[in-house]
Amino acid sequence: MEVGAQFGDEGKGKVFDYLAADARYVVRTGGGPNAGHSIHLPEGLVVLHQLSCGVLRKGVVGVCGPGMVLQPFALEEEIRELERRGLLLGEVMISDRAHALLPVHEIEDAWQDDFRARRAPSSALGTTRRGIGPAYADRAARSGIRIADLDRPAVLRERLEMMYASKTHLTNLPPIDEMATRLAEVGGRLAPLVRSTEPVLWDALARGERVLLEGAQSALLDLDFGTYPFVTSSHPTSAGALVGSGLPPTEVDSILGIAKAYTTRVGGGPFPTEETGEAGEYLRRVGGERGATTGRARRCGWLDLVLLRYAARLNGLTSFAITKVDVLGGLDEIPVCSQYVMPDGSTVRDVLPAHADEMDRARPVYERLSGWPEFHAHLRERLRREGASALPTTLRRFLDHIAEETGVPVEYVGYGPGRDETLRLPPVAARPARTGVAAWSG
Ligand code: IMP
């Protein structure tokens, strides 16, 4: 399985797409239209919001898993758009247990974040306003509508009434009759794609087929283990991916953490290595750091090993994919945060403070690694031809540094948006000692 190891936007789409080539099933395990997985195909850019990357590959089934909250109208449009572009080469399968995210949730999400912002601008989460929090809240309150309920008119009506009755503070909701009709209609159109997906996956694994779990969002946005309350409302960790797919832990054979060579964040919340000046602007410009879902400019800063160590332990990562190393090409030196110093003088190396305001006060301590050359056409061509042996030595040192400092080997490197701009590094003979990770706690 693969999970994000920072605050989201690590270039997961590109890595999922690369790995999907060898899979039979690729399963999105959580979140919903808040995600934006960008994949640069020879035919042009595709941004998948709710569909799994598997749908772009012939012979692959892209599953919208049970842990997702799906906006059915937008999902239908996403499928149609791919069909129109001739890019829906795989199959789409939708879990009957996934929850439906409705316009009422989108309206409630905006209402809640506006309310927070009015009370104190710094408390606004800056959500994607796609309705994620309210949809998961209704799921937990057991008043949610599941995809399987869309073609059960009595259940649909009862749940809608319950939902509307609990949201009387919202004034601009679409009329309930109209909503019930539209949901039943879209449910009917999507019905041929809806299945109980867990037995399909269990059977596939029993036949020895490869199943890839595609985590959206990231460890630091996890509802429990992220920078609460500046988090999303799902569990984008390896444990969450299992709950969100219905697969047991005994089936997992690798957990790949995806991280950018620097750090970005969209929305509010602590970000110790954020660069608000020229350096941040440089990363934003060269890295094209703008949200794929909302178009918001991403906050940018340097690589933070505290976050990576935390994500490594939280997820049990077995390897890393480090993306966008080309963005840092041409810099003389690369600052890398090795630890935080807290206001009381204590240091933090791999365990995040539970309170977001404490993390806000963390001061990053940097090591400065040597930079590597710009990724001009000649270097890209050599990497395509010769593979990992053509990586600049200083970049190799940067990747080794990440492995040494986190106890997790780097397995993949992304050096551009294209499908062929990912390298697999030769396997590491022995995994770096994890005892080092334990020693960092405290
Ligand atoms: P929500 O998931 O829309 O509720 O947003 C909660 C927080 O998670 C906000 O800070 C969002 O910017 C962030 N977030 C949600 N999804 C993504 C994503 O796919 N990439 C990056 N940030 C995300």
Side-chain angles (χ1 to χ4, degrees), residues 377 379-387 415 420-421 423:
L379 176 57
R380 287 178 192 277
E381 184 48 38
R382 274 195 61 206
L383 285 166
R384 261 192 289 269
R385 252 186 307 126
E386 298 165 34
Y415 60 93
D420 58 350
E421 291 177 311
L423 274 181

Side-chain angles (χ1 to χ4, degrees), residues 125-139:
L125 306 186
T127 72
T128 60
R129 299 192 169 221
R130 296 297 188 270
I132 304 298
Y136 276 117
D138 278 339
R139 182 179 87 155

Side-chain angles (χ1 to χ4, degrees), residues 7-9 34-36 109 125-129 132-133 217 221 231-232 266-268 296:
F7 295 110
D9 308 316
N34 50 349
D109 194 3
L125 306 186
T127 72
T128 60
R129 299 192 169 221
I132 304 298
Q217 288 78 46
L221 294 176
V231 291
T232 190
V266 229
R296 288 180 289 180

